[in-house]
Amino acid sequence: MILRFFDEISSDNTKNQVWNLLCACDNEFYPSLSSRENTSQSQLNSHDHKNKKPFSYFSSLLEQCFICAYDDENMIGFLSFIPKYSSDIYRDIGLSNYVSTICVDTKYRGLGITYKLYDFLFSKIPNQYCLSYVTTRTWSLNDYHIKALHKMRFVIHATLKNHRGQGIDTVYFKKKIDFTDN
Ligand SMILES: CC(C)(COP(=O)(O)OP(=O)(O)OC[C@H]1O[C@@H](n2cnc3c(N)ncnc32)[C@H](O)[C@@H]1OP(=O)(O)O)[C@@H](O)C(=O)NCCC(=O)NCCS
């Protein structure tokens, strides 16, 4: 497996591979990506878009940086992040690299690809993108992602109770990057 960084996705082939992975994972997200307008919207409790494709989400995704994992030339996973992200919820930590989306091809799950994508973000992105914090959010029932985040020493920054429906919280995470480790 190899990893590649893109600060912009310009080739049609790469766009298509991201689109295919995104569509394949769409309904695993809660709520589905096709029901969202963009990658960081605050209102996340609508569920009435069952047969749609994630067009709006995809176009907002293409404005981000990507770390993509390949088996030969096949994209088998990607992590997208918004560099220099700021929002009210993270006001006290300033700018961060905000991971908006991770998708791994179902055939390649459980092989540690998520850890490798994050590790690249922590230590191998070009210097001009390095920041003191990496942040992300997920929903409280996303066990595999949350397990991986805790193992990588992310800590919970904030929790919005029942934000995605009864019993489904939105959990905001952060991790301080120690550049002396790199
Ligand atoms: C969440 C997701 C990215 C994890 O990808 P992955 O590459 O399979 O994750 P990893 O192999 O790095 O594993 C992370 C942890 O989850 C566990 N895990 C992942 N898939 C698993 C499975 N099917 N069964 C049991 N455990 C699993 C791994 O064992 C690992 O835990 P460990 O360190 O204790 O062994 C992937 O399931 C996915 O694409 N899901 C749909 C989209 C999504 O939820 N994205 C995250 C929100 S943005």
Side-chain angles (χ1 to χ4, degrees), residues 1-3 21 67-71 74-79 102-120 148 152:
M1 188 199 67
I2 60 159
L3 297 172
L21 272 176
I67 300 161
C68 299
Y70 293 86
D71 180 8
N74 294 323
M75 193 187 292
I76 56 173
F78 72 81
L79 174 158
I102 305 193
C103 292
V104 173
D105 186 322
T106 50
K107 295 192 290 298
Y108 292 84
R109 300 257 173 103
L111 300 176
I113 291 172
T114 290
Y115 292 117
K116 293 194 170 105
L117 290 166
Y118 271 106
D119 182 60
F120 194 104
M152 292 182 289

Tab-separated table of all heavy atoms in Angstrom, residues 1-3 21 67-71 74-79 102-120 148 152:
chain	number	residue	atom	x	y	z
A	1	MET	N	0.844	-1.197	0.000
A	1	MET	CA	0.000	0.000	0.000
A	1	MET	C	0.883	1.253	0.000
A	1	MET	O	1.877	1.289	0.714
A	1	MET	CB	-0.860	0.003	1.263
A	1	MET	CG	-1.890	1.096	1.239
A	1	MET	SD	-2.550	1.481	2.859
A	1	MET	CE	-1.173	2.155	3.682
A	2	ILE	N	0.504	2.232	-0.800
A	2	ILE	CA	1.226	3.506	-0.740
A	2	ILE	C	0.224	4.629	-0.433
A	2	ILE	O	-0.977	4.493	-0.682
A	2	ILE	CB	2.002	3.827	-2.039
A	2	ILE	CG1	1.047	3.910	-3.233
A	2	ILE	CG2	3.107	2.821	-2.300
A	2	ILE	CD1	1.647	4.695	-4.365
A	3	LEU	N	0.755	5.719	0.107
A	3	LEU	CA	-0.072	6.876	0.444
A	3	LEU	C	0.389	8.072	-0.367
A	3	LEU	O	1.591	8.256	-0.578
A	3	LEU	CB	0.059	7.192	1.940
A	3	LEU	CG	-0.421	6.107	2.904
A	3	LEU	CD1	-0.050	6.457	4.333
A	3	LEU	CD2	-1.923	5.914	2.803
A	21	LEU	N	-15.583	5.739	-3.866
A	21	LEU	CA	-15.476	5.361	-2.449
A	21	LEU	C	-16.537	6.068	-1.611
A	21	LEU	O	-17.151	5.480	-0.721
A	21	LEU	CB	-14.096	5.728	-1.909
A	21	LEU	CG	-12.989	4.698	-2.055
A	21	LEU	CD1	-11.670	5.269	-1.549
A	21	LEU	CD2	-13.335	3.442	-1.261
A	67	ILE	N	-5.356	12.760	1.710
A	67	ILE	CA	-4.331	11.722	1.798
A	67	ILE	C	-5.027	10.447	1.318
A	67	ILE	O	-6.075	10.063	1.870
A	67	ILE	CB	-3.818	11.561	3.247
A	67	ILE	CG1	-3.208	12.884	3.726
A	67	ILE	CG2	-2.800	10.427	3.329
A	67	ILE	CD1	-3.099	13.001	5.224
A	68	CYS	N	-4.495	9.868	0.266
A	68	CYS	CA	-5.163	8.715	-0.356
A	68	CYS	C	-4.280	7.477	-0.251
A	68	CYS	O	-3.056	7.565	-0.400
A	68	CYS	CB	-5.450	8.989	-1.829
A	68	CYS	SG	-6.539	10.402	-2.064
A	69	ALA	N	-4.935	6.348	0.015
A	69	ALA	CA	-4.222	5.067	0.115
A	69	ALA	C	-4.497	4.260	-1.147
A	69	ALA	O	-5.646	4.191	-1.612
A	69	ALA	CB	-4.713	4.298	1.342
A	70	TYR	N	-3.438	3.634	-1.679
A	70	TYR	CA	-3.567	2.868	-2.925
A	70	TYR	C	-3.034	1.455	-2.759
A	70	TYR	O	-2.009	1.243	-2.111
A	70	TYR	CB	-2.754	3.525	-4.052
A	70	TYR	CG	-3.284	4.865	-4.472
A	70	TYR	CD1	-2.896	6.012	-3.795
A	70	TYR	CD2	-4.167	4.991	-5.546
A	70	TYR	CE1	-3.380	7.251	-4.172
A	70	TYR	CE2	-4.649	6.223	-5.932
A	70	TYR	CZ	-4.260	7.351	-5.238
A	70	TYR	OH	-4.741	8.588	-5.614
A	71	ASP	N	-3.748	0.522	-3.363
A	71	ASP	CA	-3.221	-0.809	-3.582
A	71	ASP	C	-2.963	-0.860	-5.081
A	71	ASP	O	-3.907	-0.831	-5.869
A	71	ASP	CB	-4.260	-1.859	-3.162
A	71	ASP	CG	-3.766	-3.273	-3.378
A	71	ASP	OD1	-2.572	-3.444	-3.700
A	71	ASP	OD2	-4.579	-4.202	-3.227
A	74	ASN	N	-5.192	1.340	-7.454
A	74	ASN	CA	-6.578	1.440	-6.979
A	74	ASN	C	-6.639	2.175	-5.656
A	74	ASN	O	-5.972	1.764	-4.691
A	74	ASN	CB	-7.180	0.047	-6.759
A	74	ASN	CG	-7.326	-0.691	-8.057
A	74	ASN	OD1	-7.642	-0.093	-9.084
A	74	ASN	ND2	-7.048	-1.981	-8.013
A	75	MET	N	-7.470	3.212	-5.604
A	75	MET	CA	-7.635	3.926	-4.340
A	75	MET	C	-8.486	3.052	-3.419
A	75	MET	O	-9.604	2.679	-3.754
A	75	MET	CB	-8.310	5.270	-4.569
A	75	MET	CG	-8.227	6.172	-3.350
A	75	MET	SD	-9.184	7.673	-3.556
A	75	MET	CE	-8.276	8.523	-4.811
A	76	ILE	N	-7.940	2.760	-2.241
A	76	ILE	CA	-8.645	1.875	-1.306
A	76	ILE	C	-9.088	2.611	-0.045
A	76	ILE	O	-9.747	2.039	0.817
A	76	ILE	CB	-7.779	0.659	-0.929
A	76	ILE	CG1	-6.435	1.116	-0.347
A	76	ILE	CG2	-7.563	-0.228	-2.148
A	76	ILE	CD1	-5.588	-0.031	0.201
A	77	GLY	N	-8.731	3.876	0.043
A	77	GLY	CA	-9.178	4.669	1.182
A	77	GLY	C	-8.702	6.094	1.026
A	77	GLY	O	-7.753	6.367	0.275
A	78	PHE	N	-9.375	7.002	1.695
A	78	PHE	CA	-8.881	8.385	1.717
A	78	PHE	C	-9.281	9.065	3.013
A	78	PHE	O	-10.258	8.680	3.676
A	78	PHE	CB	-9.382	9.194	0.502
A	78	PHE	CG	-10.843	9.554	0.554
A	78	PHE	CD1	-11.295	10.642	1.295
A	78	PHE	CD2	-11.782	8.798	-0.142
A	78	PHE	CE1	-12.649	10.968	1.346
A	78	PHE	CE2	-13.134	9.118	-0.097
A	78	PHE	CZ	-13.568	10.211	0.647
A	79	LEU	N	-8.484	10.058	3.353
A	79	LEU	CA	-8.790	10.972	4.458
A	79	LEU	C	-8.761	12.365	3.849
A	79	LEU	O	-7.804	12.711	3.148
A	79	LEU	CB	-7.720	10.816	5.542
A	79	LEU	CG	-7.701	11.750	6.755
A	79	LEU	CD1	-6.930	11.090	7.906
A	79	LEU	CD2	-7.090	13.104	6.450
A	102	ILE	N	-13.277	10.241	6.346
A	102	ILE	CA	-12.407	9.081	6.089
A	102	ILE	C	-13.292	7.970	5.548
A	102	ILE	O	-14.352	7.684	6.119
A	102	ILE	CB	-11.748	8.517	7.358
A	102	ILE	CG1	-10.986	9.587	8.085
A	102	ILE	CG2	-10.827	7.368	7.010
A	102	ILE	CD1	-10.072	9.017	9.145
A	103	CYS	N	-12.863	7.371	4.466
A	103	CYS	CA	-13.564	6.207	3.924
A	103	CYS	C	-12.510	5.156	3.580
A	103	CYS	O	-11.506	5.489	2.945
A	103	CYS	CB	-14.272	6.529	2.609
A	103	CYS	SG	-15.648	7.631	2.759
A	104	VAL	N	-12.765	3.938	3.970
A	104	VAL	CA	-11.896	2.823	3.573
A	104	VAL	C	-12.776	1.789	2.873
A	104	VAL	O	-13.868	1.455	3.356
A	104	VAL	CB	-11.180	2.223	4.811
A	104	VAL	CG1	-10.418	0.954	4.435
A	104	VAL	CG2	-10.233	3.251	5.432
A	105	ASP	N	-12.297	1.318	1.746
A	105	ASP	CA	-12.996	0.281	0.969
A	105	ASP	C	-13.305	-0.908	1.895
A	105	ASP	O	-12.429	-1.359	2.637
A	105	ASP	CB	-12.039	-0.145	-0.161
A	105	ASP	CG	-12.685	-1.105	-1.142
A	105	ASP	OD1	-13.459	-1.975	-0.698
A	105	ASP	OD2	-12.384	-1.002	-2.336
A	106	THR	N	-14.529	-1.411	1.826
A	106	THR	CA	-14.931	-2.495	2.753
A	106	THR	C	-13.981	-3.709	2.676
A	106	THR	O	-13.754	-4.369	3.666
A	106	THR	CB	-16.370	-2.967	2.467
A	106	THR	OG1	-16.499	-3.240	1.077
A	106	THR	CG2	-17.396	-1.944	2.883
A	107	LYS	N	-13.427	-3.964	1.490
A	107	LYS	CA	-12.545	-5.138	1.334
A	107	LYS	C	-11.219	-4.955	2.085
A	107	LYS	O	-10.482	-5.905	2.278
A	107	LYS	CB	-12.237	-5.382	-0.144
A	107	LYS	CG	-13.455	-5.771	-0.969
A	107	LYS	CD	-13.078	-6.277	-2.356
A	107	LYS	CE	-12.533	-5.206	-3.280
A	107	LYS	NZ	-13.464	-4.089	-3.591
A	108	TYR	N	-10.922	-3.724	2.471
A	108	TYR	CA	-9.631	-3.436	3.109
A	108	TYR	C	-9.800	-2.965	4.560
A	108	TYR	O	-8.892	-2.403	5.137
A	108	TYR	CB	-8.878	-2.369	2.302
A	108	TYR	CG	-8.435	-2.855	0.948
A	108	TYR	CD1	-9.306	-2.818	-0.145
A	108	TYR	CD2	-7.147	-3.352	0.747
A	108	TYR	CE1	-8.903	-3.265	-1.402
A	108	TYR	CE2	-6.734	-3.797	-0.495
A	108	TYR	CZ	-7.622	-3.744	-1.574
A	108	TYR	OH	-7.205	-4.192	-2.806
A	109	ARG	N	-10.966	-3.204	5.126
A	109	ARG	CA	-11.220	-2.773	6.507
A	109	ARG	C	-10.469	-3.649	7.510
A	109	ARG	O	-10.221	-4.833	7.263
A	109	ARG	CB	-12.717	-2.844	6.812
A	109	ARG	CG	-13.559	-1.962	5.905
A	109	ARG	CD	-13.991	-0.703	6.584
A	109	ARG	NE	-14.658	0.177	5.619
A	109	ARG	CZ	-15.973	0.336	5.560
A	109	ARG	NH1	-16.761	-0.299	6.397
A	109	ARG	NH2	-16.488	1.188	4.678
A	110	GLY	N	-10.184	-3.056	8.663
A	110	GLY	CA	-9.559	-3.811	9.757
A	110	GLY	C	-8.079	-4.089	9.543
A	110	GLY	O	-7.482	-4.890	10.256
A	111	LEU	N	-7.472	-3.421	8.554
A	111	LEU	CA	-6.050	-3.651	8.247
A	111	LEU	C	-5.164	-2.496	8.728
A	111	LEU	O	-3.986	-2.432	8.411
A	111	LEU	CB	-5.858	-3.829	6.727
A	111	LEU	CG	-6.613	-4.994	6.085
A	111	LEU	CD1	-6.410	-5.006	4.573
A	111	LEU	CD2	-6.136	-6.318	6.682
A	112	GLY	N	-5.762	-1.571	9.451
A	112	GLY	CA	-4.958	-0.464	9.995
A	112	GLY	C	-4.790	0.706	9.039
A	112	GLY	O	-3.959	1.582	9.272
A	113	ILE	N	-5.564	0.736	7.962
A	113	ILE	CA	-5.389	1.820	6.985
A	113	ILE	C	-5.745	3.174	7.601
A	113	ILE	O	-5.075	4.185	7.355
A	113	ILE	CB	-6.196	1.517	5.705
A	113	ILE	CG1	-5.544	0.327	5.004
A	113	ILE	CG2	-6.257	2.736	4.772
A	113	ILE	CD1	-6.303	-0.220	3.835
A	114	THR	N	-6.755	3.194	8.466
A	114	THR	CA	-7.110	4.455	9.121
A	114	THR	C	-5.935	4.994	9.944
A	114	THR	O	-5.632	6.191	9.891
A	114	THR	CB	-8.353	4.236	10.012
A	114	THR	OG1	-9.454	4.034	9.128
A	114	THR	CG2	-8.637	5.418	10.907
A	115	TYR	N	-5.267	4.112	10.674
A	115	TYR	CA	-4.100	4.560	11.455
A	115	TYR	C	-3.027	5.138	10.522
A	115	TYR	O	-2.388	6.131	10.835
A	115	TYR	CB	-3.500	3.396	12.238
A	115	TYR	CG	-4.383	2.881	13.346
A	115	TYR	CD1	-4.866	1.578	13.318
A	115	TYR	CD2	-4.728	3.685	14.430
A	115	TYR	CE1	-5.669	1.088	14.336
A	115	TYR	CE2	-5.531	3.207	15.445
A	115	TYR	CZ	-6.004	1.906	15.392
A	115	TYR	OH	-6.809	1.429	16.400
A	116	LYS	N	-2.841	4.492	9.378
A	116	LYS	CA	-1.787	4.952	8.452
A	116	LYS	C	-2.141	6.314	7.851
A	116	LYS	O	-1.285	7.180	7.673
A	116	LYS	CB	-1.569	3.915	7.353
A	116	LYS	CG	-0.984	2.631	7.928
A	116	LYS	CD	-0.430	1.719	6.852
A	116	LYS	CE	0.342	0.580	7.491
A	116	LYS	NZ	-0.356	-0.702	7.474
A	117	LEU	N	-3.418	6.500	7.528
A	117	LEU	CA	-3.841	7.797	6.966
A	117	LEU	C	-3.622	8.908	7.995
A	117	LEU	O	-3.093	9.984	7.675
A	117	LEU	CB	-5.314	7.728	6.558
A	117	LEU	CG	-5.627	6.848	5.339
A	117	LEU	CD1	-7.139	6.576	5.242
A	117	LEU	CD2	-5.132	7.490	4.047
A	118	TYR	N	-4.033	8.654	9.239
A	118	TYR	CA	-3.825	9.672	10.281
A	118	TYR	C	-2.340	9.906	10.534
A	118	TYR	O	-1.909	11.038	10.721
A	118	TYR	CB	-4.511	9.258	11.584
A	118	TYR	CG	-5.945	9.704	11.705
A	118	TYR	CD1	-6.982	8.794	11.567
A	118	TYR	CD2	-6.269	11.028	11.992
A	118	TYR	CE1	-8.312	9.186	11.695
A	118	TYR	CE2	-7.590	11.432	12.120
A	118	TYR	CZ	-8.609	10.507	11.974
A	118	TYR	OH	-9.915	10.920	12.095
A	119	ASP	N	-1.558	8.827	10.552
A	119	ASP	CA	-0.130	8.989	10.821
A	119	ASP	C	0.513	9.896	9.772
A	119	ASP	O	1.367	10.725	10.088
A	119	ASP	CB	0.550	7.615	10.840
A	119	ASP	CG	2.022	7.763	11.161
A	119	ASP	OD1	2.324	8.284	12.248
A	119	ASP	OD2	2.857	7.413	10.316
A	120	PHE	N	0.068	9.741	8.529
A	120	PHE	CA	0.585	10.610	7.473
A	120	PHE	C	0.240	12.071	7.788
A	120	PHE	O	1.079	12.959	7.675
A	120	PHE	CB	-0.021	10.186	6.123
A	120	PHE	CG	0.679	10.766	4.930
A	120	PHE	CD1	1.532	9.985	4.159
A	120	PHE	CD2	0.487	12.095	4.561
A	120	PHE	CE1	2.171	10.519	3.043
A	120	PHE	CE2	1.124	12.636	3.454
A	120	PHE	CZ	1.971	11.839	2.688
A	148	ALA	N	-10.262	3.986	17.203
A	148	ALA	CA	-8.993	4.382	16.597
A	148	ALA	C	-8.570	5.762	17.112
A	148	ALA	O	-7.395	5.990	17.418
A	148	ALA	CB	-9.111	4.378	15.073
A	152	MET	N	-5.092	6.703	19.127
A	152	MET	CA	-4.123	7.684	18.614
A	152	MET	C	-4.007	8.894	19.549
A	152	MET	O	-3.406	9.888	19.196
A	152	MET	CB	-4.538	8.123	17.205
A	152	MET	CG	-4.398	7.011	16.181
A	152	MET	SD	-4.837	7.536	14.505
A	152	MET	CE	-6.615	7.701	14.642
